[in-house]
């Protein structure tokens, strides 16, 4: 899984704050923070030295901490970046939304694909099939993978189905119906709705506003 370092730049200093020298430096010096997992962070300092911070243990490999036992500017910087949402907290990693690339923090044991709040889908959402451009309504978002779910009467899996060749086999499947279900809106409930199963990445949440 790819992890990203925060941009190496100074952070804004709250104006009315009586910061100690170390806290001020923790903000004003350009440092970048790279989460390594297991609560460890690599901090690259203004002088291009890299130090390892164990946040929960309150330890750093810099001389200020090693020799003076100080809560050094690197430990403080990691804590500040977590508080401000620039760096993921211990146990989480920074990933990109599959559809828009927005950075989000997820549990380190979660698997791809990842979606931001705008592109996550839930039952009832309208999605667009990337293969056909058709609009569908989501009825189920499963944990089961496309290579583990068989399509109804056939003996192929969703992943092996020919029109799904361009989509990853290890993504969850989504059940969706075509909007002839719209008849339900007029008070007629169809006796059976055919649910079609897609690899998650084949569907994209419809985010534009429709004018009916
Ligand atoms: Zn340090
Ligand atoms: Zn997104």
């Amino acid at each position: 899984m790819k992890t990203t370092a925060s941009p190496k730049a100074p952070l804004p200093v709250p104006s009315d704050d009586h910061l100690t020298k170390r806290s001020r430096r923790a903000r004003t010096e350009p440092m970048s923070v790279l989460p390594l997992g297991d609560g460890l962070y690599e901090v690259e300092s203004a002088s291009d030295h890299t130090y390892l911070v164990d946040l929960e243990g309150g330890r750093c490999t810099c001389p200020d901490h090693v020799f003076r036992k100080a809560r050094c500017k690197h430990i403080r910087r990691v804590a500040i970046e977590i508080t401000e949402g620039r760096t993921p907290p211990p146990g989480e990693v920074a990933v990109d939304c599959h559809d828009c690339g927005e950075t989000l923090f997820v549990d380190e044991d979660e698997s791809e694909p990842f979606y931001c709040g705008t592109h996550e889908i839930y039952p009832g959402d309208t999605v667009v099939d990337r293969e056909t451009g058709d609009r569908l309504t989501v009825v189920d978002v499963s944990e089961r993978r496309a290579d583990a779910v068989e399509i109804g009467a056939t003996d192929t899996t969703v992943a092996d189905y020919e029109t799904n060749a361009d989509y990853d086999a290890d993504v969850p499947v989504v059940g969706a119906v075509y909007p002839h279900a719209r008849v339900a809106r007029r008070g007629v409930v169809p006796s059976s709705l055919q649910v079609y199963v897609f690899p998650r990445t084949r569907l994209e949440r419809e985010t534009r506003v429709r004018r009916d």
Side-chain angles (χ1 to χ4, degrees):
M1 182 180 298
K2 138 184 145 37
T3 56
T4 348
S6 60
K8 191 170 177 179
L11 300 177
V13 180
S15 55
D16 57 342
D17 223 337
H18 302 286
L19 297 172
T20 66
K21 216 158 105 188
R22 281 194 183 89
S23 309
R24 183 169 291 278
R25 282 207 194 125
R27 284 186 170 273
T28 55
E29 292 186 12
M31 290 186 250
S32 76
V33 175
L34 175 68
L36 301 177
D38 293 326
L40 298 177
Y41 296 83
E42 189 181 273
V43 178
E44 192 182 294
S45 71
S47 52
D48 287 338
H49 288 100
T50 55
Y51 301 108
L52 199 59
V53 168
D54 166 8
L55 187 69
E56 285 161 324
R59 286 195 301 269
C60 180
T61 52
C62 77
D64 195 26
H65 180 78
V66 171
F67 299 116
R68 288 189 282 278
K69 297 280 169 273
R71 187 170 154 83
C72 62
K73 59 190 177 187
H74 313 108
I75 298 174
R76 289 164 195 254
R77 177 63 169 245
V78 172
I80 291 168
E81 292 214 1
I82 290 170
T83 305
E84 297 188 352
R86 296 165 57 96
T87 296
E92 295 187 11
V93 288
V95 297
D96 296 336
C97 169
H98 178 273
D99 287 356
C100 70
E102 184 187 312
T103 301
L104 41 144
F105 300 159
V106 298
D107 282 353
E108 15 183 58
D109 50 11
E110 260 185 65
S111 49
E112 294 186 81
F114 305 110
Y115 293 97
C116 70
T118 305
H119 294 108
E120 187 75 82
I121 59 176
Y122 299 97
D125 285 341
T126 300
V127 289
V128 176
D129 178 356
R130 293 179 202 267
E131 286 297 302
T132 62
D134 288 340
R135 299 172 64 247
L136 298 101
T137 302
V138 175
V139 293
D140 181 43
V141 182
S142 172
E143 301 265 287
R144 298 174 64 205
R145 291 161 39 136
D147 55 5
V149 175
E150 293 202 344
I151 296 178
T154 71
D155 55 2
T156 40
T157 64
V158 174
D160 287 336
Y161 198 69
E162 57 176 338
T163 57
N164 292 336
D166 291 342
Y167 303 93
D168 290 330
D170 59 355
V171 299
V173 296
V174 172
V177 293
Y178 286 91
H180 47 234
R182 259 186 241 162
V183 286
R185 268 204 230 152
R186 298 192 219 104
V188 185
V189 180
S191 56
S192 72
L193 283 176
Q194 177 68 47
V195 176
Y196 294 86
V197 180
F198 298 87
R200 171 63 181 93
T201 44
R202 179 168 160 173
L203 301 176
E204 182 174 17
R205 180 153 168 214
E206 188 182 66
T207 49
R208 70 196 160 83
V209 180
R210 288 178 63 239
R211 272 168 270 236
D212 280 41

